[in-house]
Amino acid sequence: MIAIGCDHTGIDLKNEVIGYLNKKKISFVDFGTNQTEATDYPIYAKKVGHAIVEGRCEQGILICGTGIGVSMAANKINGIRAALCHDVFSAKSTRLHNDANVLVMGARVIGAGHALEVLEAFLSTNFSGEERHIRRIEQLEN
Ligand code: RB5
């Protein structure tokens, strides 16, 4: 199960992501927002992050204007490894090396076509499981 969230700037890109997930028959929960009025990105980052650390979802996707605000908010939660990726290489690498559990994108930074390629790379790449990467990930926790 994938948790998805965005602020008001990310609704269109989130809908593109939802279309992709539906096409691939990947289950998801949409934590909003779906309102175009300005809202606060930490609300949605926390909803997605908590759904993952509480075991209700395995991975998450977060979108705000730059991707930076939701990254900051999500990475405050112990157990969340949110990776801001605007290219396929980073998306693959963060799964292989960091076992990132949240993909973050900036709706004002990346176009939908490229974003879906980044998403596909993220979702189709497994963590390497290598000892050095496990050791480093463990050091991320408080
Ligand atoms: C909203 O204007 C914008 O600040 C937000 O989407 C995000 O980019 C913050 O990091």
Side-chain angles (χ1 to χ4, degrees), residues 128-136:
S128 69
E130 290 173 38
E131 191 279 328
R132 70 183 189 285
H133 293 311
I134 293 170
R135 184 179 72 240
R136 292 164 189 164

Side-chain angles (χ1 to χ4, degrees), residues 84-99:
L84 176 57
C85 299
H86 291 134
D87 65 275
V88 167
F89 175 77
S90 298
K92 282 185 185 168
S93 299
T94 198
R95 290 289 306 125
L96 287 168
H97 292 210
N98 316 120
D99 197 14

